[in-house]
Amino acid sequence: MTAMWIHQTYLKDICRIVNGLLKTALGPPPGSTTTLSSVQDITFRHESVKCLAGIIKSMGAWMDEHLKIGDSILRKSFEYDTSAENHSTLTSEDGTLPDCELHPEMNSELSDAATLEQRRTYKMELQKGVSLFNRKPSKGIEFLINTKKVGDTPEEVASFMRKSTTGLNETMIGDFLGEREEFALRVMHAYVDSFNFKSMDFGEAIRFFLRGFRLPGEAQKIDRIMEKFAERYCKCNPNSFTSADTAYVLAYSVIMLNTDAHNDMVKDKMTKFDFIRNNRGINDGKDLPEEYLGALYDQIVKNEIKMNADSAVPQIKQENSLNKLLGLDGILNLVSWKQTEDKPLGANGLLIRHIQEQFKAKKGKSESIYHSVSDVSILRFMVEVCWGPMLAAFSVTIDQSDDRLATTQCLQGFRHAVHVTAVLGMQTQRDAFVTSVAKFTFLHCAADMKQKNVDAVKAIISIAIEDGNHLQEAWDHILTCLSRIEHLQLLGEGAPTDASFLTASNTETDDKMAKSADLQSLKNKGTVQNPAVMAVVRGGSYDSTAVGVNCSGLVSPEQINHFIANLNLLDQIGNFELNHVFANSQRLNSEAIVAFVKALCKVSISELQSPTDPRVFSLTKLVEIAHYNMNRIRLVWSRMWNVLSDFFVSVGLSENLSVASFVMDSLRQLAMKFLEREELANYNFQNEFLRPFVIVMQKSNSAEIRELIVRCISQMVLSRVSNVKSGWKSVFMVFTAAAADEHKNIVLVAFETMEKIVREYFPHITETESATFTDCVRCLIKFTNSRFNSDVSLNAIAFLRFCAFKLAEGGLVCTGKRLDDGSSVSTVKKDDSDLQSFTDVDDPGSYWGPLLTGLSKLTSDSRLAIRRSSLEVLFNILNDHGHLFSQTFWLGVFSSVVLPIFNGVCEKRDKAVKAEQDSATAESPHRDGSTWDTETSTVASQCLVDLFISFYDVLRPHLSDVVYILTGYLGSSIQDSASIGVAAMCRLTGQLGSRFSEDEWREIFLSVKEAATSTLPGFKKLLRTMDDIKVPHNSQLNSETNSDHGLTNDDVEDENLQVVAYVVSRMKSHISIQQLILQAVTNMTKPHMQCLSASNINIVVEIFSSISSHALQLNSETTMQQKIKIACSILELSVPPMLEFENEAYQNYLSFLKDVVENNPSISFEMDLESLLVAVCEKILQIYLKCTSENQNGRVTHWVLPLGFGKKEEMAARSALLVSALKALSGLGRDSFRKYISNFFNLLVDLVRSEHSSSSGEVQRVLSIVFQSSIGAIIMK
């Protein structure tokens, strides 16, 4: 029976033949009689099986023959194409170059013999080098460099290759550019970098790029070239795609579209919808715009991408040739990540319909007419009608017969059937045959194995090696068998099971950690107690995950003997055959390797989850497979890694710590190997590769696993630091998670590595995208929040400063993009979580932004040392490196970094005002929500003012914000805060006052005025609470204290005293703050009196007047004063300095008016400040005289009584102010004195009549001077 005969037979004849052979193979039905002897019957059965095996074998041979014919045609066309190319170029290997290709230094005007000989020699050497290049490119380049025809740098070699007149073969150029040797790789990089794709459409860029060479035939070479092209295109067009990975995948799609659209042999052309669908999700998980892909599709379809060497391509090469040469079989599946559907291979519907019609037409006719076909897909219909009987015949025979010849024939039939169905894409039939062979291995029931079952194992291995490219989901069964083989071999060798170190608890391992018994020990014991051995001997169903799990009881000696004998049978299968399946994975195509990895992951999880005998065989093989296939093109490797990544994450989060540790260490080994490969710019694959570490680090509940991950990452980074590119992101994410860990050791190990990275390998961080540096900064900031060791937090802050120094050292100049236009108040209060308001992701500001923002947030940390350190570092960075910032960027930094630091100051001022207005009896006089202490507040305000002074020209628009903050200190209810604000305000105006405009001075004074008056309503409301409080006299208190302890008024009096004590405390704080404001206004105005306008002086006058009036009113509350004095005496508290407050307020008021009148007469005249000065003096005189008078109940006395001790003390305290007022009056000009004397003459006379304290002799002396020099002068005149 020959292959040609098989394929000229009708389908129904095939069906009839196969069914007949099936019946013969099965033998006569039970109960029927036959004339055949038993030997004849067996012979018939075996011959039937042999015939069936021959039929399926011939089908496979015919299929392979026709498929190989296509491949040979393809190879011949390629050879013809290459020769045509070589003959069509300007020079072949022994051709000549045109005269124009001469050394550029040669002068064409030189015609002497020596020059002509030099030109001839140069031309011959160049021809020899080109000819050598066209045979072996590396040798040709070496020759050209040695003879000085080409420079020895990669850039010069690349330039030589790009010349269109060099005579170099385009195919050889592509082959050389794809080499992986270091120099060839550098030449390829220089070659690609010599192209300028800026503003060039992607399709045109590919067209322009492929114009000068032909892509090589090896997939790895193409991968390197296209990877570099994608990087170059993204560098020239940084905003084109999210990453270079997108350009890389799209480049392959465009090449495939070009082949599909312009290949006459392709009948079913790719539609625009297909092209868009195939490219979904390639832009970092997102879709490219459909309009963009549609335009690209139209461009390629209308205008074919032609390479220079394409002119001589014969038509016979067209069908599928480019795919085969480029190694791009199934590339559309790679892009779309979808499994091809189960459909006929190139089936021609019209042909099949025609054949079926002929069958119907010839039905019933006796003559036989055969139709010869060459389309392999027709074989599919033949297999569909005969695969069932074949499966039944092979299965029944191998199950019922132990004859070696018969079972061998059946297994051969299985192998050929798997081959045919797999190649034809018949998934259901393929899986049925593979599953049957796998079940006949009896690996799930090793005690019952026979030689035929061992032969089935060999058949499984052969199928895996021979038909691996077409097995797809059937790999599950094959790899399960390999796993069981390895398990049995380990038991036979007596090696300890994997469970000995993978069990989770010690109590469980007492029984499980014993070594498996070797063969001799199994023979000596009647029963075996080892759970793993017992489970295997008992056996189980083929589909069971763990063999023998549900069985119980001991095994018999007979079962042990059978098991030992079967283990000896398995010695026929060595480790070489077993490992060959995995080593052969390098030869699997792109679809097959992904299916292989998926199946191996599935089997590995099944092994690891076994309740009785967890194993790591498949896990170790996964690591080997990944290592073997790491050099595959990026598209294929990316698909593989998506599967492996999910697997590593799933197992890494296992509750079994030994399993999780093992898989994390395996991942580390792979990562170390992967990091040996250099990654080009703008790619993201290292980050994807290391992402399982990040996910497990973030989700694992085991401290041991987290610490292991940190140590793995540390080892990888420090040993491969020069190769880490996009992987930095995952590295910093792991360390960021470690920084927040609850275990001290994890934090310390991670920080130790971070310290080394920042100190020694900082340039490797900054050479990648800005987001990587941002991740580094965020990681360091996370370490500052560590609660285990303050040294870690402080060192992390120091490293942030180091990062800033390195950035500045690189000469980065930041340019802002946007700036908020909000008002000053809203700007201060706004909480910006990042700097996106003034930096763009591609600007240098994206480096500085996160660093400065992180330090800004640290200033509100609850720990004092962290607050102080972060404040110091932040302002030192801004002062030291602020000159690198542009104005726009500076304004953004000030708004989003500096001002939010003081949000607490502004909020505190607002809360203090509201508290005084709404609640007169707060719980605590010093209640403050701010976390800053006095020292921190002082440092912060000083740093703010110093920074503003240093960069005043740039930051001038933010003066209102600074003033708002400083007056926030003044509006605080705490004296220390007000002192800080006064000092800072005085320093600000002292340094910049001469540069302030009138409006800026006005804004400052209005802010101070608001701070001085904002708390007055609330304070007055507080004082009114004293009206209803009755304070006992000392005598009453003493008498009550000496009496019985059962007084009924004790509680009330104690409560009243507590209220008074609170009022006293608030009053002292209020007076101190008002005095500080007076001091601030005086210090601000005195040096800059000549710079102040009339309107600004008027505001200052209003401030002094308001505070003076308030002080006078406060000191006039005699009843309240009496209560306060009594309560202070009882509580042993000092009395609030109300009198001193009044004196100081009027003293500052008087001094300011006197300075303006004397030093700025124009402003004084304009504002009539002289009359105001006289009025203030009159007020001071009236207050003093009121103190000396003894009016009681409205009656005027006509005699002078001696002053009491209290009055004398008060008069002594007021004497200095009175003297100042008298001096101010005597200092008036004669005309002015004459003008106003009528206003205060009577007051002067009353002063003469009044009694003064013994210590106030100065009053009398100055009063005498007034009468003599001023009044006397008027009288005498």
Side-chain angles (χ1 to χ4, degrees):
M1 185 178 295
T2 63
M4 182 57 68
W5 180 87
I6 287 294
H7 294 288
Q8 291 176 340
T9 304
Y10 290 105
L11 290 177
K12 66 178 181 179
D13 293 334
I14 288 291
C15 183
R16 186 163 48 247
I17 292 173
V18 171
N19 283 322
L21 291 173
L22 170 62
K23 293 179 180 179
T24 304
L26 295 179
S32 62
T33 59
T34 178
T35 59
L36 297 176
S37 65
S38 59
V39 176
Q40 292 175 327
D41 182 49
I42 292 175
T43 302
F44 266 106
R45 292 188 184 187
H46 290 176
E47 288 298 322
S48 299
V49 171
K50 182 179 180 181
C51 187
L52 288 173
I55 292 174
I56 193 65
K57 178 180 179 181
S58 64
M59 289 182 178
W62 182 85
M63 177 185 69
D64 292 341
E65 180 183 355
H66 279 70
L67 291 177
K68 289 180 180 178
I69 289 175
D71 291 340
S72 64
I73 294 175
L74 179 63
R75 285 194 295 272
K76 290 179 181 179
S77 68
F78 174 61
E79 293 171 0
Y80 173 76
D81 171 69
T82 303
S83 63
E85 290 172 5
N86 293 338
H87 285 87
S88 64
T89 54
L90 292 175
T91 62
S92 62
E93 295 180 356
D94 56 352
T96 60
L97 287 170
D99 290 338
C100 60
E101 190 60 38
L102 300 175
H103 197 286
E105 296 180 357
M106 302 301 293
N107 192 333
S108 61
E109 296 181 358
L110 298 177
S111 58
D112 56 282
T115 303
L116 291 175
E117 181 64 24
Q118 291 176 2
R119 294 173 62 187
R120 179 178 177 274
T121 302
Y122 172 81
K123 183 174 181 180
M124 292 180 63
E125 290 182 346
L126 182 60
Q127 289 175 350
K128 182 178 179 181
V130 171
S131 176
L132 185 59
F133 178 90
N134 290 338
R135 290 196 302 270
K136 192 170 182 61
S138 59
K139 295 293 184 182
I141 293 296
E142 182 180 359
F143 175 83
L144 292 170
I145 292 176
N146 292 336
T147 57
K148 307 298 182 183
K149 301 302 178 293
V150 179
D152 58 356
T153 65
E155 290 75 15
E156 292 173 302
V157 175
S159 177
F160 176 75
M161 289 183 175
R162 285 202 63 184
K163 293 181 181 179
S164 60
T165 56
T166 57
L168 299 179
N169 183 274
E170 291 86 349
T171 300
M172 292 303 172
I173 293 176
D175 191 65
F176 178 77
L177 293 176
E179 293 293 338
R180 65 180 303 170
E181 283 74 17
E182 181 180 359
F183 183 74
L185 196 62
R186 291 166 57 195
V187 171
M188 185 268 286
H189 284 199
Y191 183 90
V192 179
D193 288 337
S194 66
F195 286 85
N196 183 10
F197 300 122
K198 187 174 183 180
S199 302
M200 190 177 292
D201 180 78
F202 188 76
E204 292 301 322
I206 295 182
R207 193 187 308 277
F208 180 53
F209 176 62
L210 296 178
R211 197 168 287 171
F213 70 97
R214 175 179 291 280
L215 285 173
E218 185 180 338
Q220 292 294 332
K221 293 183 177 181
I222 299 173
D223 183 64
R224 285 189 282 271
I225 295 174
M226 299 310 294
E227 185 179 31
K228 179 60 182 177
F229 163 77
E231 182 216 28
R232 179 61 181 170
Y233 182 82
C234 289
K235 277 189 176 180
C236 294
N237 304 276
N239 297 323
S240 56
F241 303 110
T242 303
S243 66
D245 297 280
T246 306
Y248 171 78
V249 175
L250 189 59
Y252 273 110
S253 295
V254 168
I255 293 175
M256 285 304 303
L257 174 62
N258 186 71
T259 304
D260 181 272
H262 302 286
N263 188 339
D264 294 337
M265 301 300 293
V266 177
K267 301 303 181 182
D268 297 328
K269 299 292 185 182
M270 185 188 304
T271 65
K272 184 182 295 186
F273 175 78
D274 294 334
F275 181 71
I276 294 174
R277 180 189 60 193
N278 291 338
N279 288 284
R280 285 176 181 163
I282 68 173
N283 194 24
D284 196 17
K286 301 178 181 178
D287 295 340
L288 292 171
E290 292 191 5
E291 298 79 6
Y292 176 81
L293 292 175
L296 183 60
Y297 175 88
D298 294 336
Q299 178 185 355
I300 301 302
V301 170
K302 293 179 181 178
N303 186 10
E304 180 183 2
I305 297 178
K306 294 183 179 180
M307 305 169 195
N308 287 343
D310 282 348
S311 57
V313 177
Q315 184 66 28
I316 192 172
K317 181 192 171 191
Q318 292 296 318
E319 183 174 12
N320 296 328
S321 61
L322 186 59
N323 293 0
K324 300 256 182 177
L325 291 176
L326 302 183
L328 300 180
D329 298 315
I331 191 67
L332 293 180
N333 290 329
L334 293 177
V335 176
S336 62
W337 293 31
K338 293 183 179 179
Q339 184 69 29
T340 54
E341 295 181 1
D342 189 5
K343 61 182 181 180
L345 296 176
N348 191 322
L350 294 177
L351 174 61
I352 294 174
R353 187 179 299 111
H354 176 67
I355 293 175
Q356 291 174 342
E357 290 174 355
Q358 288 182 323
F359 287 164
K360 293 179 181 179
K362 298 297 182 179
K363 185 176 182 180
K365 296 183 179 180
S366 59
E367 63 271 14
S368 297
I369 300 177
Y370 298 100
H371 301 274
S372 178
V373 294
S374 59
D375 193 343
V376 176
S377 61
I378 199 67
L379 187 63
R380 182 185 183 94
F381 300 96
M382 301 175 70
V383 174
E384 285 180 346
V385 299
C386 67
W387 77 272
M390 288 183 176
L391 176 64
F394 296 152
S395 299
V396 171
T397 301
I398 199 172
D399 181 56
Q400 297 179 353
S401 174
D402 291 333
D403 183 80
R404 183 74 180 272
L405 179 62
T407 56
T408 301
Q409 290 291 340
C410 292
L411 291 174
Q412 287 291 332
F414 272 121
R415 288 179 57 184
H416 294 304
V418 170
H419 174 66
V420 172
T421 55
V423 173
L424 292 177
M426 304 175 70
Q427 179 178 338
T428 303
Q429 293 82 353
R430 175 201 66 204
D431 292 347
F433 283 111
V434 172
T435 304
S436 297
V437 179
K439 288 182 178 179
F440 284 124
T441 61
F442 265 52
L443 293 170
H444 55 285
C445 190
D448 299 328
M449 286 184 66
K450 300 178 181 179
Q451 180 60 47
K452 63 181 179 181
N453 304 118
V454 177
D455 293 337
V457 173
K458 296 178 181 179
I460 279 287
I461 296 176
S462 299
I463 290 171
I465 296 174
E466 296 171 2
D467 296 301
N469 281 331
H470 311 287
L471 292 176
Q472 297 299 326
E473 291 82 2
W475 274 115
D476 291 354
H477 304 286
I478 294 176
L479 294 176
T480 299
C481 289
L482 298 184
S483 171
R484 290 173 175 174
I485 293 172
E486 189 270 347
H487 189 202
L488 292 174
Q489 288 178 340
L490 285 182
L491 292 178
E493 294 170 359
T497 63
D498 294 343
S500 60
F501 62 90
L502 292 181
T503 46
S505 64
N506 293 331
T507 56
E508 295 175 356
T509 57
D510 291 341
D511 296 330
K512 295 182 181 179
M513 288 186 64
K515 288 187 176 180
S516 299
D518 57 19
L519 294 179
Q520 188 62 37
S521 64
L522 290 176
K523 294 177 182 178
N524 295 336
K525 296 182 179 180
T527 59
V528 182
Q529 300 301 324
N530 185 282
V533 176
M534 292 176 64
V536 173
V537 173
R538 285 195 298 264
S541 65
Y542 169 77
D543 297 324
S544 61
T545 302
V547 177
V549 173
N550 298 323
C551 301
S552 60
L554 300 178
V555 295
S556 64
E558 290 77 16
Q559 289 176 306
I560 292 295
N561 293 331
H562 282 299
F563 178 66
I564 294 171
N566 293 341
L567 289 180
N568 289 327
L569 287 176
L570 284 177
D571 289 342
Q572 301 174 43
I573 302 172
N575 289 329
F576 175 79
E577 288 80 2
L578 199 63
N579 293 328
H580 186 48
V581 175
F582 299 98
N584 192 60
S585 66
Q586 298 177 84
R587 298 183 176 88
L588 297 177
N589 61 31
S590 57
E591 290 294 330
I593 187 60
V594 175
F596 183 85
V597 170
K598 286 181 179 179
L600 192 55
C601 288
K602 183 178 179 181
V603 174
S604 178
I605 290 177
S606 176
E607 289 179 353
L608 294 170
Q609 292 178 345
S610 172
T612 58
D613 191 18
R615 299 167 51 233
V616 295
F617 168 72
S618 297
L619 175 58
T620 57
K621 292 304 177 183
L622 271 174
V623 177
E624 292 179 15
I625 294 302
H627 175 72
Y628 290 151
N629 293 272
M630 196 171 287
N631 291 325
R632 286 183 179 265
I633 64 173
R634 187 174 298 274
L635 284 172
V636 178
W637 174 248
S638 179
R639 292 187 61 194
M640 290 175 56
W641 187 248
N642 282 335
V643 178
L644 289 171
S645 177
D646 293 340
F647 168 79
F648 282 121
V649 169
S650 175
V651 181
L653 295 174
S654 170
E655 295 181 359
N656 189 323
L657 299 185
S658 299
V659 171
S661 300
F662 191 90
V663 77
M664 286 295 101
D665 187 67
S666 301
L667 181 60
R668 177 194 61 81
Q669 298 175 37
L670 280 179
M672 291 287 287
K673 184 67 178 177
F674 183 79
L675 288 177
E676 293 178 0
R677 303 175 62 185
E678 183 179 1
E679 184 180 62
L680 299 176
N682 294 318
Y683 282 91
N684 195 42
F685 199 67
Q686 282 186 359
N687 181 39
E688 295 294 331
F689 193 95
L690 298 177
R691 186 166 293 175
F693 284 115
V694 179
I695 298 175
V696 177
M697 183 70 190
Q698 293 173 343
K699 295 184 177 181
S700 177
N701 295 324
S702 169
E704 291 85 351
I705 298 301
R706 298 198 300 272
E707 181 174 350
L708 175 63
I709 291 174
V710 171
R711 294 187 182 276
C712 288
I713 291 292
S714 299
Q715 179 192 3
M716 286 188 296
V717 171
L718 297 181
S719 60
R720 298 282 190 270
V721 65
S722 59
N723 287 345
V724 181
K725 296 295 188 299
S726 65
W728 283 118
K729 184 176 183 65
S730 291
V731 170
F732 291 134
M733 289 179 70
V734 168
F735 289 154
T736 300
D741 203 277
E742 298 177 354
H743 291 77
K744 181 178 180 180
N745 196 40
I746 296 176
V747 177
L748 296 180
V749 171
F751 187 73
E752 182 181 353
T753 306
M754 279 297 299
E755 179 179 4
K756 197 171 186 65
I757 290 173
V758 175
R759 285 188 184 277
E760 302 179 15
Y761 306 118
F762 186 84
H764 294 286
I765 300 174
T766 55
E767 72 181 2
T768 58
E769 57 176 331
S770 60
T772 304
F773 179 79
T774 301
D775 294 329
C776 176
V777 169
R778 288 177 178 153
C779 183
L780 289 173
I781 291 173
K782 199 68 175 178
F783 276 109
T784 62
N785 297 321
S786 173
R787 295 296 187 268
F788 295 112
N789 192 330
S790 59
D791 291 339
V792 170
S793 300
L794 294 175
N795 286 336
I797 294 176
F799 287 142
L800 289 174
R801 184 174 184 175
F802 177 81
C803 291
F805 173 77
K806 287 295 185 180
L807 286 180
E809 195 178 50
L812 296 177
V813 179
C814 302
T815 55
K817 288 293 182 182
R818 290 183 293 167
L819 179 64
D820 295 333
D821 295 325
S823 64
S824 61
V825 175
S826 62
T827 302
V828 177
K829 293 182 179 180
K830 186 173 66 175
D831 181 18
D832 292 329
S833 60
D834 52 43
L835 296 184
Q836 289 301 318
S837 60
F838 62 92
T839 60
D840 189 80
V841 69
D842 295 324
D843 286 337
S846 60
Y847 288 90
W848 289 99
L851 191 152
L852 299 176
T853 304
L855 286 171
S856 174
K857 292 180 179 179
L858 282 175
T859 58
S860 60
D861 193 274
S862 59
R863 294 165 293 172
L864 175 61
I866 301 302
R867 292 199 304 270
R868 293 180 181 176
S869 180
S870 58
L871 269 174
E872 177 185 353
V873 170
L874 174 60
F875 282 99
N876 283 343
I877 289 174
L878 294 175
N879 278 302
D880 294 342
H881 310 307
H883 62 279
L884 297 175
F885 302 163
S886 68
Q887 181 176 8
T888 306
F889 184 78
W890 240 128
L891 294 175
V893 168
F894 204 78
S895 295
S896 299
V897 174
V898 178
L899 296 181
I901 295 175
F902 300 92
N903 282 343
V905 175
C906 303
E907 292 171 1
K908 180 171 62 176
R909 189 258 301 274
D910 296 338
K911 290 179 180 179
V913 173
K914 188 175 187 301
E916 290 190 352
Q917 291 176 351
D918 296 344
S919 176
T921 56
E923 294 179 3
S924 169
H926 297 292
R927 185 176 181 85
D928 190 355
S930 174
T931 58
W932 277 4
D933 60 305
T934 302
E935 184 176 350
T936 306
S937 297
T938 303
V939 172
S941 63
Q942 290 175 351
C943 291
L944 174 65
V945 173
D946 290 342
L947 181 68
F948 190 79
I949 292 172
S950 299
F951 297 95
Y952 175 66
D953 292 336
V954 177
L955 300 178
R956 190 167 189 168
H958 281 292
L959 174 63
S960 58
D961 297 324
V962 176
V963 172
Y964 183 81
I965 291 172
L966 297 183
T967 53
Y969 283 103
L970 296 178
S972 171
S973 60
I974 301 176
Q975 180 180 351
D976 291 339
S977 296
S979 300
I980 294 170
V982 168
M985 187 71 79
C986 292
R987 175 166 171 73
L988 177 68
T989 55
Q991 293 289 330
L992 301 174
S994 59
R995 302 169 65 181
F996 287 159
S997 65
E998 178 181 351
D999 291 337
E1000 289 171 335
W1001 272 115
R1002 178 180 178 82
E1003 187 171 11
I1004 292 173
F1005 289 138
L1006 287 175
S1007 297
V1008 174
K1009 179 182 177 181
E1010 181 184 359
T1013 59
S1014 60
T1015 59
L1016 293 183
F1019 181 72
K1020 292 178 180 179
K1021 185 177 180 180
L1022 176 66
L1023 294 181
R1024 297 282 69 83
T1025 60
M1026 294 291 295
D1027 296 342
D1028 299 328
I1029 293 177
K1030 296 181 179 180
V1031 179
H1033 194 272
N1034 282 345
S1035 59
Q1036 297 176 353
L1037 184 64
N1038 292 334
S1039 63
E1040 292 174 0
T1041 304
N1042 294 332
S1043 64
D1044 236 6
H1045 290 290
L1047 295 176
T1048 58
N1049 293 330
D1050 283 351
D1051 295 338
V1052 177
E1053 291 174 356
D1054 289 343
E1055 183 179 353
N1056 290 340
L1057 289 175
Q1058 290 300 322
V1059 172
V1060 175
Y1062 172 64
V1063 172
V1064 169
S1065 176
R1066 287 288 301 274
M1067 184 179 294
K1068 290 179 180 179
S1069 176
H1070 176 76
I1071 290 173
S1072 298
I1073 293 173
Q1074 293 291 314
Q1075 289 174 326
L1076 287 171
I1077 293 176
L1078 288 171
Q1079 177 188 344
V1081 175
T1082 301
N1083 293 340
M1084 286 190 295
T1085 56
K1086 198 165 188 178
H1088 306 289
M1089 190 67 69
Q1090 301 298 326
C1091 304
L1092 301 180
S1093 64
S1095 59
N1096 288 332
I1097 288 179
N1098 186 56
I1099 297 174
V1100 176
V1101 169
E1102 291 175 356
I1103 295 174
F1104 282 125
S1105 176
S1106 174
I1107 296 178
S1108 300
S1109 300
H1110 172 59
L1112 178 60
Q1113 181 183 2
L1114 183 63
N1115 204 30
S1116 301
E1117 298 281 349
T1118 56
T1119 304
M1120 179 193 66
Q1121 290 186 40
Q1122 187 67 22
K1123 292 180 181 180
I1124 288 176
K1125 287 179 181 180
I1126 296 174
C1128 289
S1129 175
I1130 296 172
L1131 299 173
E1132 297 182 353
L1133 299 175
S1134 60
V1135 180
M1138 292 179 282
L1139 179 58
E1140 290 81 355
F1141 176 35
E1142 180 186 338
N1143 288 339
E1144 185 176 349
Y1146 274 102
Q1147 183 67 59
N1148 282 277
Y1149 192 9
L1150 182 63
S1151 298
F1152 175 75
L1153 292 174
K1154 184 178 177 182
D1155 287 344
V1156 176
V1157 170
E1158 292 178 356
N1159 300 322
N1160 202 337
S1162 60
I1163 296 294
S1164 175
F1165 178 77
E1166 179 183 348
M1167 300 179 62
D1168 194 18
L1169 293 182
E1170 196 172 58
S1171 62
L1172 182 59
L1173 175 62
V1174 173
V1176 172
C1177 291
E1178 290 180 37
K1179 189 66 176 176
I1180 294 172
L1181 295 178
Q1182 292 171 356
I1183 295 171
Y1184 185 86
L1185 290 172
K1186 183 179 180 181
C1187 178
T1188 62
S1189 64
E1190 289 293 330
N1191 296 334
Q1192 297 181 1
N1193 300 325
R1195 296 191 301 271
V1196 181
T1197 59
H1198 299 285
W1199 55 90
V1200 178
L1201 297 176
L1203 295 174
F1205 178 75
K1207 283 293 182 180
K1208 287 183 179 181
E1209 283 188 343
E1210 182 179 353
M1211 290 176 62
R1214 295 182 182 273
S1215 296
L1217 178 59
L1218 177 62
V1219 170
S1220 297
L1222 292 174
K1223 287 182 178 180
L1225 291 176
S1226 64
L1228 294 174
R1230 181 177 297 177
D1231 295 337
S1232 298
F1233 194 86
R1234 182 190 298 275
K1235 178 180 179 181
Y1236 297 109
I1237 190 172
S1238 59
N1239 296 341
F1240 54 80
F1241 182 77
N1242 293 332
L1243 297 174
L1244 294 176
V1245 173
D1246 289 340
L1247 282 175
V1248 174
R1249 298 175 55 230
S1250 300
E1251 178 183 359
H1252 306 284
S1253 64
S1254 59
S1255 61
S1256 59
E1258 183 69 13
V1259 175
Q1260 296 165 341
R1261 189 183 65 81
V1262 175
L1263 187 60
S1264 174
I1265 293 173
V1266 172
F1267 274 97
Q1268 289 178 4
S1269 61
S1270 298
I1271 299 177
I1274 295 175
I1275 296 174
M1276 295 300 295
K1277 184 178 179 183

